Every structure is written in structure tokens, then in C-alpha cells.
Amino acid sequence: RNSGGVLSFNMGTTTALSLTDDGVRGLSQFTAKAWCMFEPSPSIADSHNISSVTDSGVGNFRVNFSNNLANVNYAALGTASNTSGSHNDNVAVSYEAYNTTSTAAWLIYRASTSVQADPDRMHSVYFGD
């Protein structure tokens, strides 16, 4: 169905996927609501629905959404890695309650020492309503 610049794919009366005429966003229950790849400074290399990343100290980052998520019932997944040295030396862990304007802070620990450390790269993705 094409209506008002929006192409919608429906399952009965329920919209399963909508594509807008600006070509920027397609939303469904099966698409990421936000994602980003950033490097500490923090500098966003690429993203969708991420306005900024706040550096709250060594190994501590908060990802801020451009558009609020519908509710706090979303999944946040993250990975951290080094581009030099051991690629398996960092692990990302999330804490705090989620909210609709930003994700809980990401804490990154060096796996070999359990000490917080800035990774060379951080990837995060968010799925929800």
C-alpha cells in the first residue's frame, strides 16, 4: 500500500514494514532502531538514529539517540575491540536502567586485567519497539 509518501507492507490490518519517501528509514519489529560504530574521543564513524556519544571517563560511554525510542523494552548489544595488538583484549558490558533518550552507559573492561580501558572501536545496536 502506498499512501502519503509511505510504502507500507501489511499482514492483514497490521503494518509489518513502512518505507518513507525520504529514503532514510524503514521501520518494523525486525529492524534496528539505532546503531553506531565509534572510536574513543568519542568520534562516531557511522550510525543510524544516534546523535552523539558521551565520554564519561576511561572505558565509560553513553550513546544518545537522535529520536527517542518508543519505550524502555529494548535490547542493547555491544562489542568492543582493538585494531592493534590483541583483538580480543576488550569486552563491553552494559549497566544501569535503559531510558528512551539514551542507552545505559557502556563499560569496557580489558579482559586480560579486568581494568576499565578505552577500546579502539565500539559497536552498538538497539532493537525494540
Side-chain angles (χ1 to χ4, degrees), residues 39-78:
E39 298 165 351
S41 335
S43 172
I44 297 174
D46 204 356
S47 69
H48 166 67
N49 196 30
I50 302 295
S51 62
S52 63
V53 175
T54 304
D55 187 343
S56 302
V58 175
N60 188 341
F61 302 94
R62 180 176 296 277
V63 175
N64 304 299
F65 303 127
S66 298
N67 297 299
N68 292 352
L69 300 187
N71 56 53
V72 297
N73 300 324
Y74 62 86
L77 307 154

Short mmCIF file of all heavy atoms in Angstrom, two decimals, residues 39-78:
data_model
loop_
_atom_site.label_atom_id
_atom_site.label_comp_id
_atom_site.label_asym_id
_atom_site.label_seq_id
_atom_site.Cartn_x
_atom_site.Cartn_y
_atom_site.Cartn_z
N GLU A 39 34.77 5.46 17.78
CA GLU A 39 36.12 5.31 18.31
C GLU A 39 36.27 6.31 19.44
O GLU A 39 35.69 7.39 19.40
CB GLU A 39 37.14 5.57 17.19
CG GLU A 39 36.97 4.56 16.07
CD GLU A 39 37.68 4.96 14.78
OE1 GLU A 39 38.17 6.09 14.69
OE2 GLU A 39 37.75 4.10 13.90
N PRO A 40 37.01 5.97 20.48
CA PRO A 40 37.14 6.90 21.60
C PRO A 40 37.67 8.25 21.15
O PRO A 40 38.49 8.36 20.29
CB PRO A 40 38.12 6.20 22.52
CG PRO A 40 37.90 4.77 22.24
CD PRO A 40 37.63 4.70 20.76
N SER A 41 37.16 9.24 21.69
CA SER A 41 37.36 10.68 21.64
C SER A 41 36.10 11.30 22.19
O SER A 41 36.21 12.31 22.80
CB SER A 41 37.65 11.30 20.29
OG SER A 41 38.20 10.48 19.37
N PRO A 42 34.90 10.75 22.01
CA PRO A 42 34.45 9.70 21.08
C PRO A 42 34.10 10.31 19.72
O PRO A 42 33.58 11.41 19.65
CB PRO A 42 33.23 9.09 21.73
CG PRO A 42 32.70 10.17 22.61
CD PRO A 42 33.86 11.06 22.98
N SER A 43 34.41 9.60 18.69
CA SER A 43 34.16 10.04 17.33
C SER A 43 33.31 8.99 16.62
O SER A 43 33.74 7.84 16.48
CB SER A 43 35.49 10.21 16.60
OG SER A 43 35.29 10.45 15.24
N ILE A 44 32.09 9.36 16.20
CA ILE A 44 31.20 8.42 15.53
C ILE A 44 31.66 8.26 14.08
O ILE A 44 31.73 9.23 13.34
CB ILE A 44 29.74 8.91 15.57
CG1 ILE A 44 29.25 8.98 17.03
CG2 ILE A 44 28.84 7.99 14.76
CD1 ILE A 44 27.87 9.59 17.18
N ALA A 45 31.96 7.03 13.69
CA ALA A 45 32.38 6.75 12.32
C ALA A 45 31.16 6.54 11.42
O ALA A 45 31.15 6.95 10.27
CB ALA A 45 33.29 5.53 12.28
N ASP A 46 30.11 5.88 11.94
CA ASP A 46 28.89 5.63 11.18
C ASP A 46 27.78 5.33 12.18
O ASP A 46 28.05 4.80 13.27
CB ASP A 46 29.09 4.48 10.21
CG ASP A 46 28.13 4.54 9.03
OD1 ASP A 46 27.27 5.44 9.00
OD2 ASP A 46 28.24 3.68 8.14
N SER A 47 26.53 5.67 11.80
CA SER A 47 25.45 5.45 12.76
C SER A 47 24.09 5.59 12.10
O SER A 47 23.97 6.08 10.98
CB SER A 47 25.54 6.46 13.90
OG SER A 47 25.24 7.77 13.43
N HIS A 48 23.07 5.17 12.83
CA HIS A 48 21.66 5.38 12.49
C HIS A 48 20.93 5.73 13.78
O HIS A 48 21.02 4.98 14.76
CB HIS A 48 21.06 4.12 11.85
CG HIS A 48 19.56 4.15 11.79
ND1 HIS A 48 18.87 5.03 10.99
CD2 HIS A 48 18.64 3.43 12.46
CE1 HIS A 48 17.57 4.83 11.16
NE2 HIS A 48 17.41 3.87 12.05
N ASN A 49 20.25 6.86 13.81
CA ASN A 49 19.47 7.32 14.96
C ASN A 49 20.34 7.54 16.21
O ASN A 49 19.87 7.37 17.33
CB ASN A 49 18.31 6.36 15.27
CG ASN A 49 17.29 7.01 16.19
OD1 ASN A 49 17.11 8.22 16.19
ND2 ASN A 49 16.63 6.21 17.01
N ILE A 50 21.59 7.91 16.03
CA ILE A 50 22.48 8.24 17.14
C ILE A 50 22.92 9.69 16.94
O ILE A 50 23.47 10.04 15.91
CB ILE A 50 23.72 7.32 17.18
CG1 ILE A 50 23.31 5.86 17.29
CG2 ILE A 50 24.66 7.73 18.30
CD1 ILE A 50 22.61 5.47 18.56
N SER A 51 22.66 10.54 17.95
CA SER A 51 23.05 11.95 17.84
C SER A 51 24.46 12.20 18.33
O SER A 51 25.17 13.04 17.79
CB SER A 51 22.08 12.83 18.62
OG SER A 51 22.12 12.50 20.00
N SER A 52 24.87 11.45 19.36
CA SER A 52 26.19 11.68 19.93
C SER A 52 26.56 10.54 20.87
O SER A 52 25.71 9.73 21.25
CB SER A 52 26.24 13.00 20.69
OG SER A 52 25.35 12.96 21.80
N VAL A 53 27.82 10.52 21.24
CA VAL A 53 28.31 9.59 22.26
C VAL A 53 29.01 10.44 23.31
O VAL A 53 29.82 11.31 22.99
CB VAL A 53 29.30 8.56 21.67
CG1 VAL A 53 29.88 7.69 22.76
CG2 VAL A 53 28.61 7.71 20.61
N THR A 54 28.66 10.22 24.57
CA THR A 54 29.26 10.97 25.67
C THR A 54 30.35 10.12 26.31
O THR A 54 30.11 8.97 26.68
CB THR A 54 28.19 11.30 26.73
OG1 THR A 54 27.12 12.02 26.09
CG2 THR A 54 28.76 12.12 27.86
N ASP A 55 31.54 10.68 26.42
CA ASP A 55 32.66 10.01 27.08
C ASP A 55 32.58 10.39 28.56
O ASP A 55 32.78 11.54 28.93
CB ASP A 55 33.97 10.47 26.47
CG ASP A 55 35.17 9.70 26.99
OD1 ASP A 55 35.05 9.03 28.04
OD2 ASP A 55 36.24 9.76 26.35
N SER A 56 32.30 9.42 29.42
CA SER A 56 32.14 9.67 30.85
C SER A 56 33.36 9.23 31.66
O SER A 56 33.27 9.07 32.87
CB SER A 56 30.90 8.94 31.37
OG SER A 56 29.76 9.37 30.66
N GLY A 57 34.47 9.00 30.98
CA GLY A 57 35.69 8.56 31.66
C GLY A 57 36.26 7.36 30.94
O GLY A 57 35.69 6.86 29.97
N VAL A 58 37.37 6.86 31.43
CA VAL A 58 38.04 5.73 30.79
C VAL A 58 37.12 4.52 30.75
O VAL A 58 36.59 4.09 31.78
CB VAL A 58 39.36 5.37 31.52
CG1 VAL A 58 39.98 4.12 30.93
CG2 VAL A 58 40.32 6.54 31.47
N GLY A 59 36.86 4.01 29.54
CA GLY A 59 36.04 2.82 29.37
C GLY A 59 34.58 3.01 29.73
O GLY A 59 33.88 2.04 30.03
N ASN A 60 34.06 4.23 29.69
CA ASN A 60 32.68 4.52 30.11
C ASN A 60 32.06 5.48 29.10
O ASN A 60 32.46 6.64 29.00
CB ASN A 60 32.71 5.13 31.51
CG ASN A 60 31.33 5.29 32.10
OD1 ASN A 60 30.33 5.28 31.40
ND2 ASN A 60 31.27 5.45 33.41
N PHE A 61 31.06 5.00 28.34
CA PHE A 61 30.43 5.79 27.29
C PHE A 61 28.92 5.69 27.37
O PHE A 61 28.38 4.67 27.75
CB PHE A 61 30.87 5.28 25.90
CG PHE A 61 32.35 5.30 25.71
CD1 PHE A 61 33.12 4.18 25.98
CD2 PHE A 61 32.99 6.45 25.26
CE1 PHE A 61 34.49 4.20 25.81
CE2 PHE A 61 34.35 6.48 25.08
CZ PHE A 61 35.12 5.35 25.36
N ARG A 62 28.24 6.78 26.99
CA ARG A 62 26.78 6.78 26.88
C ARG A 62 26.43 7.14 25.44
O ARG A 62 26.92 8.12 24.91
CB ARG A 62 26.16 7.79 27.84
CG ARG A 62 24.64 7.83 27.75
CD ARG A 62 24.03 8.76 28.77
NE ARG A 62 24.28 8.32 30.12
CZ ARG A 62 23.55 7.41 30.77
NH1 ARG A 62 22.52 6.85 30.18
NH2 ARG A 62 23.84 7.06 32.00
N VAL A 63 25.56 6.33 24.83
CA VAL A 63 25.13 6.55 23.45
C VAL A 63 23.78 7.26 23.49
O VAL A 63 22.85 6.79 24.15
CB VAL A 63 25.04 5.20 22.70
CG1 VAL A 63 24.48 5.40 21.31
CG2 VAL A 63 26.41 4.54 22.64
N ASN A 64 23.65 8.39 22.80
CA ASN A 64 22.44 9.22 22.82
C ASN A 64 21.69 9.10 21.50
O ASN A 64 22.27 9.24 20.43
CB ASN A 64 22.83 10.67 23.08
CG ASN A 64 23.63 10.82 24.36
OD1 ASN A 64 23.14 10.50 25.43
ND2 ASN A 64 24.86 11.25 24.25
N PHE A 65 20.38 8.84 21.57
CA PHE A 65 19.56 8.64 20.39
C PHE A 65 19.13 9.97 19.78
O PHE A 65 18.83 10.92 20.50
CB PHE A 65 18.31 7.82 20.73
CG PHE A 65 18.61 6.48 21.34
CD1 PHE A 65 18.03 6.10 22.53
CD2 PHE A 65 19.47 5.60 20.71
CE1 PHE A 65 18.30 4.86 23.10
CE2 PHE A 65 19.75 4.36 21.25
CZ PHE A 65 19.17 3.99 22.46
N SER A 66 19.05 10.05 18.46
CA SER A 66 18.52 11.24 17.77
C SER A 66 17.02 11.33 17.98
O SER A 66 16.48 12.40 18.26
CB SER A 66 18.80 11.16 16.27
OG SER A 66 20.17 11.13 16.01
N ASN A 67 16.32 10.21 17.82
CA ASN A 67 14.87 10.12 18.03
C ASN A 67 14.62 9.15 19.17
O ASN A 67 15.15 8.04 19.16
CB ASN A 67 14.16 9.61 16.76
CG ASN A 67 14.35 10.57 15.62
OD1 ASN A 67 13.95 11.71 15.67
ND2 ASN A 67 15.00 10.10 14.56
N ASN A 68 13.80 9.57 20.12
CA ASN A 68 13.51 8.71 21.27
C ASN A 68 12.97 7.36 20.83
O ASN A 68 12.23 7.27 19.85
CB ASN A 68 12.48 9.37 22.19
CG ASN A 68 13.03 10.60 22.87
OD1 ASN A 68 14.21 10.91 22.79
ND2 ASN A 68 12.15 11.32 23.54
N LEU A 69 13.31 6.32 21.57
CA LEU A 69 12.72 5.01 21.33
C LEU A 69 11.33 5.00 21.96
O LEU A 69 11.02 5.82 22.84
CB LEU A 69 13.60 3.92 21.93
CG LEU A 69 15.02 3.84 21.37
CD1 LEU A 69 15.74 2.62 21.90
CD2 LEU A 69 15.04 3.84 19.86
N ALA A 70 10.48 4.08 21.51
CA ALA A 70 9.08 4.06 21.96
C ALA A 70 8.95 3.77 23.45
O ALA A 70 8.08 4.32 24.12
CB ALA A 70 8.31 3.02 21.16
N ASN A 71 9.82 2.91 23.98
CA ASN A 71 9.76 2.55 25.40
C ASN A 71 11.10 1.96 25.81
O ASN A 71 12.02 1.86 25.00
CB ASN A 71 8.59 1.60 25.68
CG ASN A 71 8.68 0.35 24.83
OD1 ASN A 71 9.69 -0.34 24.80
ND2 ASN A 71 7.60 0.05 24.11
N VAL A 72 11.20 1.57 27.07
CA VAL A 72 12.48 1.05 27.58
C VAL A 72 12.63 -0.46 27.37
O VAL A 72 13.62 -1.04 27.81
CB VAL A 72 12.67 1.38 29.08
CG1 VAL A 72 12.75 2.88 29.28
CG2 VAL A 72 11.57 0.77 29.93
N ASN A 73 11.68 -1.07 26.69
CA ASN A 73 11.75 -2.52 26.45
C ASN A 73 12.52 -2.80 25.17
O ASN A 73 11.96 -3.23 24.17
CB ASN A 73 10.33 -3.10 26.35
CG ASN A 73 9.56 -2.87 27.64
OD1 ASN A 73 10.13 -2.93 28.72
ND2 ASN A 73 8.29 -2.57 27.52
N TYR A 74 13.81 -2.53 25.19
CA TYR A 74 14.64 -2.79 24.02
C TYR A 74 15.90 -3.53 24.43
O TYR A 74 16.28 -3.55 25.60
CB TYR A 74 14.98 -1.50 23.27
CG TYR A 74 15.76 -0.46 24.02
CD1 TYR A 74 17.16 -0.49 24.06
CD2 TYR A 74 15.12 0.57 24.68
CE1 TYR A 74 17.87 0.47 24.75
CE2 TYR A 74 15.83 1.54 25.36
CZ TYR A 74 17.21 1.49 25.38
OH TYR A 74 17.91 2.45 26.06
N ALA A 75 16.53 -4.15 23.45
CA ALA A 75 17.76 -4.89 23.68
C ALA A 75 18.93 -4.06 23.17
O ALA A 75 18.87 -3.52 22.06
CB ALA A 75 17.73 -6.23 22.96
N ALA A 76 19.97 -3.94 23.96
CA ALA A 76 21.19 -3.24 23.58
C ALA A 76 22.31 -4.26 23.49
O ALA A 76 22.55 -5.01 24.44
CB ALA A 76 21.52 -2.17 24.60
N LEU A 77 22.95 -4.30 22.35
CA LEU A 77 24.06 -5.22 22.15
C LEU A 77 25.31 -4.41 21.82
O LEU A 77 25.24 -3.45 21.06
CB LEU A 77 23.76 -6.17 20.98
CG LEU A 77 22.44 -6.91 21.11
CD1 LEU A 77 21.92 -7.29 19.75
CD2 LEU A 77 22.64 -8.12 21.97
N GLY A 78 26.44 -4.78 22.38
CA GLY A 78 27.65 -4.03 22.11
C GLY A 78 28.88 -4.90 22.09
O GLY A 78 28.95 -5.92 22.78
#
